[in-house]
Amino acid sequence: MALILTSQQVKALDQTLSEKGLLEVTVENAGRSVAEALHRHFPDSRVLVVAGKGFNGADAVVAARHLLALGHEITVLAHQEAHQDSLKKLQVFTKTFPLTVDQVRHHMAKNDVVLEGLLGTGFQPPLSAEYAALIEALNMSLKPVVSIDLPSGVRADVPERPELAVRATRTFALAGLKPCHLFEPASEWAGETELLSIGVPGQYTHQFTSTHTVEPSDVQQWLPRRNQNAHKGSAGEVWVLGGRSGMTGCVALSTLAALRTGSGLVRHSSVVPVEHAPAETISHALQDWSEVKDLPFKGAVAVGMGLGDQAEDIAAMVLEKHLPTVVDADALQTSLRGKGHERTIFTPHPGEAARMLETDVAEVLSDPLGAVRTLQKQYGGVVVLKGGPTTIATKQTTWVNTSGNPGMASAGMGDVLAGIIASLLGQGLSAKHAALSGVYLHGRAGDLCFERHHYGLQASDVAHAVGPAWHALLHGE
Ligand SMILES: NC(=O)C1=CN([C@@H]2O[C@H](COP(=O)(O)OP(=O)(O)OC[C@H]3O[C@@H](n4cnc5c(N)ncnc54)[C@H](O)[C@@H]3O)[C@@H](O)[C@H]2O)[C@@H](O)CC1
Ligand SMILES: Nc1ncnc2c1ncn2[C@@H]1O[C@H](COP(=O)(O)OP(=O)(O)O)[C@@H](O)[C@H]1O
Ligand SMILES: [K+]
C-alpha cells in the first residue's frame, strides 16, 4: 500500500527518526534506493548529480556515492551549504564541484542523465533567485532529468501549477507519495513517479498518516463471492430512483452498471418512462415522487441521477429508512448535511462538491484531500469525490484511487459508477468496501476499454467492461 504524506507529516516523521537516532540511516537508505532505481532505468549512464542544501540534497550526495559503487561515471555539483557529513563520505572517492548555473550548463552536455536533489518537502515559496536560475538551467537540459522525492520548485501538498519547477522525466518519491504526485496540474511536473523505500517499515510510517492509495489486493478480498447454488434472490438487489423528462438515460446507465456488477435484481422508479433501460430490469412507474415512501425497498438504493429539483427531498426520505444508499447528482445538496449514516455513500464530482461545501470548483481542486475530508465531516457516511484521481473518505481514513483515465471524461460515467457501487452495497458489502471497490473497478474497467476506444470511450462501454475488469483482477492479469 502506498502511503500519502504531507510535508508536515514528513517533518514529524523526520523529527521522530532523528530522536531515535535513525535519521542518518534513513538518508543513507534513501540515497541508496535512489541510486539503485536510477541504475535500473539508466544502466551504464553518466550521471550529473545536483545537490541542494537540505536533506533532499543529502539524498543526492548519498545517491552519488552508491552510483559510483554501481559503476556509473558521475559529476557532482554540491551547494556550499550541502550536508557536510554526506559530502565528506563521497569525497573519499571523488571530488565535487560548486553548484552554479555555469557548472550545470558546462557539465550537462557531458552526461547522459541529471539527478536533481535541490529542494524536497522543505520547499517554501517564493523560490530564491539562486534556485530559480538553477531550475531554469536544468529545464534547458536535453537529457532526462530525475527528481529526488519531488521536482524542485513544486510544493509537496499543493497540486496548483508551480511558478517555476523542474520538469522531471521521472521522480523517485521517498517514504510515501505526496499530494503533488497525484493531482494535476502539479503532477505533470513529476513525469513517471515511482515510490522508493527509505528502510522504515510502512507500519511505522502509518502512524503519521491516515491517507493512502486504494490497493487492488484489498479490493480483491472485499469483492463478493458466490456459492454454486446462488440464485437471483441471493445475488443482491438495487433500486434506482431518478430521471425526469429528457433525462432518463442516466437511470438506464445506472441500472445497466448494477446488472453488469452482478446484482440479481435491478429495479427502477421514475415519474416518466425510462427509455432504453435493460430488458432485464423491473420498472415501478410512479405518478408522483411522493409515492416513493411506499415502495417496498429491498437491497440498496441509488438516488438522484437526472431526478431534478425534488432529488434532495427524495434522498432525505430514503436516508431516513437507513437503507444502504448511494446519493448522487441532483440529490447532492446542502440540506443533506449531517444526514449520512454508516450505509450512505455520497458521490459528488468537483462541481457538486463545491455546491455542497458552498465554495467554488477551483477551491475543491486546489485541495481534493482536504475537500473530501470536510465533506465527510459535514455530511457523514462515506464520501467519494470523483475526478482523475478520485478521493474517498470515511470518518477515519482517506484514500486516493489511481485506476481510470482521461477517456472517462464523458457523460454518464458517474451514473455508471453509482450503479456499480449500489450493486456492491446490495450484494452485502459495507459502505466503505463498496465505495472503494466500486471506484477501483470502475477505473479498471475504464482502463480496459481505453486501449480500444481511447477518447471515444462511452459510459456504457465501462459498464459492460466491469465483469472483464473483475475477472482480470481476480486472476492477476
Ligand atoms: N522522512 C523522510 O521522508 C525522509 C526525507 N528525506 C529527504 O528530506 C527531504 C526534506 O528535507 P528538508 O526538510 O531538509 O527539506 P529540503 O531538502 O526540501 O530543503 C530545505 C532547504 O531548502 C531551503 N529552501 C526552502 N525553500 C526555499 C526557497 N523558496 N528558495 C531557496 N531555498 C529554499 C531551506 O532553507 C532548506 O535549507 C525530503 O524531500 C527527502 O528528499 C530523506 O533524507 C530521508 C528521510
Ligand atoms: N481523467 C480522468 N481520470 C480518471 N477518471 C476519470 C477521469 N475523468 C472522469 N473520470 C471518472 O468518470 C466519472 C465521471 O463522473 P461524473 O462527472 O459524475 O459524470 P456524469 O455526471 O456525466 O455521469 C467519475 O467517476 C470520474 O472519476
Ligand atoms: K527534488
Side-chain angles (χ1 to χ4, degrees):
M1 167 190 307
L3 299 179
I4 298 163
L5 293 163
T6 63
S7 54
Q8 282 305 319
Q9 289 162 342
V10 170
K11 213 166 168 181
L13 172 63
D14 274 353
Q15 178 73 27
T16 314
L17 291 172
S18 172
E19 283 161 13
K20 310 271 181 211
L22 276 166
L23 192 55
E24 207 173 310
V25 74
T26 53
V27 175
E28 183 68 22
N29 291 339
R32 185 177 189 144
S33 293
V34 166
E36 287 172 351
L38 190 139
H39 179 65
R40 259 197 326 275
H41 290 287
F42 304 96
D44 304 321
S45 58
R46 293 164 299 172
V47 188
L48 174 62
V49 180
V50 177
K53 54 191 170 179
F55 277 107
N56 199 248
D59 295 341
V61 173
V62 174
R65 179 159 41 79
H66 287 285
L67 283 168
L68 264 183
L70 288 165
H72 290 261
E73 264 182 52
I74 60 164
T75 311
V76 181
L77 309 183
H79 195 279
Q80 57 184 353
E81 292 168 40
H83 195 253
Q84 290 305 306
D85 281 356
S86 316
L87 212 48
K88 277 186 200 138
K89 288 178 188 144
L90 172 67
Q91 285 163 344
V92 172
F93 306 107
T94 188
K95 67 174 179 180
T96 63
F97 299 90
L99 175 60
T100 65
V101 169
D102 285 345
Q103 291 280 8
V104 169
R105 288 198 188 119
H106 176 71
H107 289 286
M108 205 133 68
K110 292 190 268 179
N111 284 282
D112 305 309
V113 52
V114 181
L115 176 65
E116 73 88 6
L118 285 179
L119 293 160
T121 51
F123 165 61
Q124 293 288 344
L127 266 178
S128 66
E130 179 196 23
Y131 273 45
L134 288 165
I135 291 172
E136 270 172 351
L138 289 176
N139 282 347
M140 300 296 283
S141 170
L142 299 175
K143 310 286 170 63
V145 177
V146 175
S147 286
I148 299 179
D149 206 12
L150 47 120
S152 297
V154 166
R155 287 164 72 188
D157 308 335
V158 184
E160 279 167 13
R161 176 174 292 274
E163 287 225 352
L164 172 66
V166 167
R167 275 277 181 188
T169 313
R170 196 169 272 286
T171 294
F172 296 140
L174 298 172
L177 296 172
K178 320 296 174 310
C180 69
H181 298 120
L182 293 158
F183 300 100
E184 285 180 342
S187 60
E188 290 166 24
W189 270 256
E192 291 285 318
T193 298
E194 190 173 327
L195 178 58
L196 302 183
S197 167
I198 59 164
V200 176
Q203 298 283 37
Y204 189 82
T205 315
H206 212 293
Q207 299 169 56
F208 296 85
T209 178
S210 55
T211 307
H212 42 83
T213 51
V214 179
E215 287 306 308
S217 54
D218 289 336
V219 173
Q220 213 177 34
Q221 289 180 31
W222 298 331
L223 286 171
R225 300 268 187 291
R226 264 186 208 172
N227 292 333
Q228 218 37 48
N229 63 356
H231 53 88
K232 65 175 184 277
S234 69
E237 287 197 24
V238 166
W239 205 312
V240 177
L241 303 173
R244 64 181 187 281
S245 178
M247 290 289 282
T248 55
C250 37
V251 177
L253 285 167
S254 293
T255 53
L256 172 69
L259 284 167
R260 284 300 193 192
T261 310
S263 295
L265 276 169
V266 178
R267 304 171 194 271
H268 54 87
S269 293
S270 191
V271 291
V272 291
V274 176
E275 289 152 23
H276 311 303
E280 298 86 343
T281 59
I282 302 168
S283 168
H284 295 255
L286 306 173
Q287 295 300 316
D288 188 272
W289 278 113
S290 62
E291 294 162 30
V292 164
K293 63 181 183 309
D294 302 320
L295 290 175
F297 291 115
K298 259 181 84 184
V301 178
V303 56
M305 42 291 283
L307 203 158
D309 287 347
Q310 295 180 65
E312 59 192 302
D313 296 338
I314 307 300
M317 205 270 298
V318 172
L319 287 175
E320 276 169 20
K321 292 182 184 279
H322 277 256
L323 298 160
T325 305
V326 178
V327 182
D328 190 37
D330 298 335
L332 296 163
Q333 304 287 346
T334 50
S335 62
L336 296 188
R337 273 203 179 104
K339 300 232 165 102
H341 51 73
E342 78 280 3
R343 295 203 285 175
T344 313
I345 302 171
F346 297 98
T347 54
H349 60 51
E352 289 152 354
R355 183 172 73 206
M356 292 168 83
L357 292 169
E358 296 175 279
T359 181
D360 54 35
V361 173
E363 190 74 21
V364 171
L365 294 178
S366 72
D367 181 14
L369 289 168
V372 77
R373 287 240 54 79
T374 310
L375 282 166
Q376 198 287 326
K377 216 166 163 185
Q378 291 186 3
Y379 288 81
V382 177
V383 178
V384 171
L385 172 54
K386 295 180 285 194
T390 291
T391 53
I392 304 104
T394 60
K395 196 169 181 186
Q396 289 81 19
T397 310
T398 315
W399 288 263
V400 178
N401 177 64
T402 54
S403 62
N405 61 76
M408 298 173 74
S410 78
M413 216 50 91
D415 305 322
V416 167
L417 177 68
I420 294 172
I421 296 176
S423 175
L424 295 173
L425 271 177
Q427 292 178 65
L429 266 62
S430 67
K432 172 179 131 179
H433 290 169
L436 292 167
S437 309
V439 168
Y440 174 79
L441 267 187
H442 180 248
R444 178 123 184 206
D447 290 343
L448 270 187
C449 301
F450 188 63
E451 268 178 43
R452 183 155 177 212
H453 297 291
H454 202 64
Y455 295 159
L457 194 55
Q458 281 179 242
S460 54
D461 298 326
V462 174
H464 290 298
V466 171
W470 188 332
H471 191 270
L473 173 70
L474 291 186
H475 294 85
E477 292 154 19

